Amino acid sequence: MTAVQNQNPPVKPVRRRGPSVITRALESPRLGWGGLAIGLLAPFVTATPYALNVMTSAAVFVMLAVGLNIVVGYCGLLDLGFAAFLAVGAYTGGILATRLNLPLLATVPVVVVVTVVAGVVIGGPTLRLRSDYLAIVTLGFGEIIRIVANNLDITGGPSGIYGIPGLLGDTLSDPVVFYYATVVIVAVAVLFAARLGRSRIGRAWRFVREDEDAAEASGVNTYRVKLAAYVAGAVWGGLSGVLFAAQLSAVSPASFTFLQSALVLMAVVLGGMGSTRGVVVGAVVISLLPELLRDLADYRFFVFGMLLIVVMLLRPQGLWPHRVRDPDDMASRAPSTLGVPVTASSAKEDE
């Protein structure tokens, strides 16, 4: 009796396709420097007071959105009252600068301390909540800050604070100089936020965002990790408030409504949650698109809303979503160097 021979054809090894040219181009670190170059060269294209005001507002909005991305995109904490930290930073810097006759830059250390305290006070008792409950609490926090500012004498009541000096007093009063200073500060903040997302705490944030129970079971102190994200976002929001006050030289409660928080969250979702590059693009789109549609008069916000709906239908993951590395590639990395278990979603930051 002869042995039965195996008639099955040999299995050919599957050749995996590498990243496309477009993917490699989008992952290139040179794109960030290209975006910074565009921002620095923009005044050479148009330098009217209106254009400089719009571009400066867009830069401040980018920094605000990057701060919220730490909370929502990295750690998955839904924050509907992020404009409150913008108000805390703007009012703290404005009050100190006007009462003590200081340049706004000198108030930054105090602003950082106040925003950290505000983040701990609000986040400490509330970050044990999840999903919808946390969103409701943060929404209430945003409204409380606005109402308090509207009723205190030190904040100027409904009229707010006027006559706030510039970052260096009168040195940066020129709109072009202030624009360049804002772009440089925002670029450093964006770079630091991207580095933070790729750090050990950044990977812990993504792990908590993907599965908080699994992170807790793996030994990650999820409460401290979430509090760190909330405080870091608060600091970014407070520093954005300093730039906001320096640009307008006045702050009032009307600038910190729920609509402002909704627009910042919209920028994060539109750009791609967790993707620093995407959030920067989303913030620029959200801040510049209404100005580009200004010729439509009363219909511009209607068209603005329709365009956002269309974009989200076509790109539900965002304009520039966060990319993850293949789990097989992650197997070659040493898990012990990460400090937290490796997951596909926590694999690779695209910045």
Side-chain angles (χ1 to χ4, degrees), residues 39-295:
L40 294 176
L41 294 176
F44 291 95
V45 179
T46 174
T48 62
Y50 168 73
L52 288 173
N53 183 56
V54 171
M55 290 189 294
T56 305
S57 299
V60 176
F61 196 74
V62 165
M63 185 170 177
L64 191 62
V66 169
L68 182 60
N69 186 50
I70 296 175
V71 181
V72 179
Y74 288 170
C75 200
L77 304 173
L78 183 55
D79 190 341
L80 296 180
F82 195 69
F85 295 115
L86 178 71
V88 170
Y91 272 108
T92 302
I95 292 172
L96 291 176
T98 54
R99 297 297 178 92
L100 303 178
N101 195 23
L102 295 174
L104 267 178
L105 196 61
T107 67
V108 168
V110 180
V111 169
V112 172
V113 172
V114 172
T115 50
V116 168
V117 171
V120 172
V121 169
I122 302 303
T126 60
L127 289 180
R128 298 186 187 279
L129 303 175
R130 296 189 182 185
S131 63
D132 299 341
Y133 300 101
L134 179 61
I136 294 172
V137 171
T138 54
L139 174 63
F141 169 61
E143 289 301 297
I144 288 172
I145 292 296
R146 185 181 62 83
I147 293 173
V148 168
N150 200 38
N151 290 277
L152 289 181
D153 293 334
I154 193 172
T155 58
S159 300
I161 302 174
Y162 294 90
I164 300 175
L167 286 177
L168 294 177
D170 297 332
T171 305
L172 296 181
S173 58
D174 184 78
V176 178
V177 177
F178 180 72
Y179 169 75
Y180 280 119
T182 303
V183 169
V184 172
I185 293 172
V186 172
V188 173
V190 171
L191 180 63
F192 189 68
R195 296 286 183 182
L196 198 60
R198 285 185 292 179
S199 66
R200 178 174 178 174
I201 186 66
R203 288 189 286 270
W205 287 338
R206 297 182 190 280
F207 192 20
V208 170
R209 180 193 65 187
E210 294 301 319
D211 194 330
E212 184 173 345
D213 294 331
E216 188 78 37
S218 300
V220 177
N221 190 327
T222 57
Y223 175 72
R224 291 185 179 180
V225 166
K226 291 193 295 184
L227 185 61
Y230 198 73
V231 171
V235 172
W236 258 256
L239 295 179
S240 304
V242 174
L243 292 176
F244 180 80
Q247 181 194 7
L248 299 181
S249 71
V251 292
S252 66
S255 302
F256 311 108
T257 60
F258 170 70
L259 177 61
Q260 182 74 358
S261 299
L263 288 175
V264 182
L265 182 61
M266 193 182 304
V268 175
V269 176
L270 180 68
M273 291 192 296
S275 168
T276 303
R277 294 181 179 183
V279 170
V280 171
V281 173
V284 172
V285 170
I286 293 295
S287 57
L288 296 186
L289 191 56
E291 301 300 328
L292 297 177
L293 299 174
R294 187 168 288 277
D295 292 339

